[in-house]
Amino acid sequence: MTTTTVAGATLAENALTRALLADVGSVDTAAAAFGGTHAWLGRPVFNRPALLDTDAATSLGRDLRVFLDALRALPDRLFDGDPAALARALGLPEAQAAASAVSARELPSIGRADLVQDATGFRLVEFNTSSSLGGCEIAEMNRAMLADPTFAAFAAGHDLTYRDPIAGMLRAFPPSAHPIAVLTWPGGSHDHLTLFLASLAAAGHEAFPCHAGELAYRGGVLTAGGRRVDRVFRTFQLGRLDGSPEADALVRPLLDAIDDGAATLLAPFAADLHGIKECLALLAEDACRSALSADEREVVDRLLPWTRRLDRSLLDHAREHREDLVLKPSTGYAGRGITAGWMVDPTTWKERLDAALSAPHVLQRRVRPVAERFLDADGRTVPCLLSWGVFLTDGGYGGAFVKGIPGVGQDIRFLGDGSYVGCVFHRESR
């Protein structure tokens, strides 16, 4: 990895990336091959992929597996093996705690880590652990990149390949003669599932979309819209179970079928617990650290920035170190509700901290990312700070994507709408 400074940004590029910039530069993302990508994303696309060498991809897969296993072990190590007790400790309602206890032992090693690369390596800022993993269709962009002859030749010459996160997740399902039910919550459209369903079909899996109100369980048989199913891919989050009779009626057929062994759910509701940001803070607390293995402690310490549950004892520290901290709600996604201390004035920061005491929040030390170069439409070099979404499937590295806005400084809001998105290739070991 070579580090230098361009336009005020610290660059850290591996040899593969430098070769790509020199030999290919950029790919025409207006080409017909990118039609499926644009229809799916609806946002700007990076005109080159990000690249990982063999060791980086392998190490990321191994580290994320260790990290996720540590998260999954929190009920055993802190709550006598009861995931419902963990849910209650995190402040979740009883309906969500009860659902978390159903088939919780069947958790697959599936997730997506949100990482930022600083001068020392990758740092993990969040870990999404449900089956509702945004960006899992990214292999469509990888395939589009390989349709460009110049890049395809470069990829072949450097042994570049990619992982398809959807294919990796599907391997967690047992074989079955029945189709996969892709389950949504009632009231939403299925339009956003077009590429996902096409990917399942391309992988040889018959699947169809349905919502929870179409489920029924009778005589040991689960049906969705009248079709028998025994594998369910869940696209909604645990938070939908608000304890209302209506919500309970929607999921009861599914929970009963899972409890009876008549259906497999990807991912079980307990998986959502481990993506709650307070769980990251739990890993850093003495009660959990003492139960971690030496290998787990090493990985957690290396990957996880300083992360703590917010309480009044931390207010003075938080106010003093505003420009080095991020305030995050314990639950949420796409950057919603996050405040980056360096982007607000001291008065606003104090107000946000005080308000955050009324609901679970965490404080996390800011990770200052390094940049990579991209070429703009005029062929000029532009630095870009990247956020990496790295999938863990099959117990190892399962593919990745990157997000960022070229030529713009660090802004935590890039986790939401407006950022460019790019795919990732890695060098295959010979």
Side-chain angles (χ1 to χ4, degrees):
M1 184 75 71
T2 299
T3 301
T4 185
T5 301
V6 174
T10 300
L11 295 178
E13 295 171 343
N14 57 31
L16 281 173
T17 301
R18 295 195 301 274
L20 175 67
L21 289 166
D23 298 348
V24 178
S26 63
V27 171
D28 178 14
T29 58
F34 285 88
T37 294
H38 291 303
W40 161 56
L41 276 175
R43 65 169 70 188
V45 173
F46 279 125
N47 58 18
R48 72 159 178 86
L51 302 180
L52 292 171
D53 60 33
T54 306
D55 291 342
T58 301
S59 296
L60 273 174
R62 181 259 177 195
D63 287 347
L64 295 181
R65 184 179 67 251
V66 171
F67 198 104
L68 181 56
D69 285 347
L71 284 173
R72 289 167 52 179
L74 285 174
D76 290 331
R77 291 167 177 173
L78 299 179
F79 300 96
D80 295 324
D82 184 2
L86 170 61
R88 296 184 190 102
L90 295 171
L92 301 186
E94 186 58 33
Q96 296 175 25
S100 299
V102 177
S103 296
R105 295 287 179 182
E106 298 177 11
L107 295 180
S109 294
I110 288 175
R112 191 201 75 220
D114 290 341
L115 302 148
V116 176
Q117 192 173 19
D118 65 12
T120 65
F122 284 103
R123 309 301 301 277
L124 186 150
V125 295
E126 294 183 21
F127 212 147
N128 306 278
T129 55
S130 75
S131 53
S132 180
L133 297 175
C136 64
E137 301 94 337
I138 192 63
E140 175 72 12
M141 194 188 302
N142 291 92
R143 291 186 283 267
M145 286 284 174
L146 288 172
D148 181 89
T150 304
F151 176 73
F154 177 87
H158 291 270
D159 300 315
L160 297 183
T161 188
Y162 66 93
R163 295 279 188 270
D164 183 342
I166 293 177
M169 287 190 289
L170 285 173
R171 284 190 282 272
F173 267 140
S176 172
H178 305 295
I180 296 172
V182 180
L183 190 66
T184 64
W185 199 251
S189 168
H190 290 151
D191 292 347
H192 66 290
L193 295 174
T194 300
L195 181 55
F196 182 76
L197 292 167
S199 299
L200 296 188
H205 291 268
E206 182 186 359
F208 65 97
C210 59
H211 63 73
E214 298 177 274
L215 296 175
Y217 181 57
R218 299 183 185 91
V221 174
L222 180 68
T223 59
R227 303 179 66 179
R228 180 172 181 173
V229 297
D230 54 12
R231 296 175 297 170
V232 178
F233 193 102
R234 173 173 60 94
T235 69
F236 60 87
Q237 296 182 324
L238 177 63
R240 288 288 191 178
L241 310 188
D242 58 9
S244 67
E246 294 80 10
D248 182 72
L250 288 170
V251 299
R252 182 51 49 193
L254 177 62
L255 294 176
D256 288 345
I258 296 168
D259 210 24
D260 290 346
T264 300
L265 177 64
L266 190 68
F269 285 108
D272 291 28
L273 299 180
H274 311 129
I276 293 175
K277 299 173 188 67
E278 278 186 281
C279 285
L280 298 179
L282 285 175
L283 290 179
E285 294 179 2
D286 290 342
C288 184
R289 283 188 60 81
S290 62
L292 297 177
S293 69
D295 187 30
E296 289 171 329
R297 282 195 297 272
E298 189 278 327
V299 170
V300 169
D301 291 347
R302 176 162 43 83
L303 284 189
L304 183 66
W306 182 91
T307 304
R308 296 294 186 274
R309 292 188 283 181
L310 177 67
D311 59 31
R312 293 191 179 278
S313 68
L314 287 176
L315 288 180
D316 289 342
H317 174 86
R319 292 165 186 157
E320 181 181 353
H321 298 278
R322 170 180 58 84
E323 294 191 354
D324 294 318
L325 293 172
V326 183
L327 176 66
K328 300 180 177 183
S330 187
T331 59
Y333 57 94
R336 296 177 182 177
I338 292 178
T339 299
W342 62 92
M343 294 182 61
V344 297
D345 59 62
T347 300
T348 302
W349 179 243
K350 178 181 180 302
E351 292 172 349
R352 300 278 176 87
L353 288 170
D354 291 341
L357 291 171
S358 63
H361 280 70
V362 299
L363 283 170
Q364 189 173 79
R365 182 174 294 126
R366 174 186 185 181
V367 179
R368 298 177 183 269
V370 293
E372 292 193 11
R373 293 171 295 162
F374 290 79
L375 299 182
D376 65 14
D378 297 320
R380 295 173 298 191
T381 298
V382 181
C384 184
L385 306 176
L386 297 177
S387 172
W388 294 69
V390 179
F391 293 92
L392 177 69
T393 64
D394 292 339
Y397 173 75
F401 63 84
V402 293
K403 293 196 292 186
I405 299 182
V408 178
Q410 186 178 14
D411 182 338
I412 206 71
R413 293 172 301 183
F414 292 172
L415 295 174
D417 293 337
S419 58
Y420 284 59
V421 178
C423 59
V424 177
F425 284 81
H426 66 281
R427 189 198 293 270
E428 188 73 279
S429 59
R430 292 183 180 274

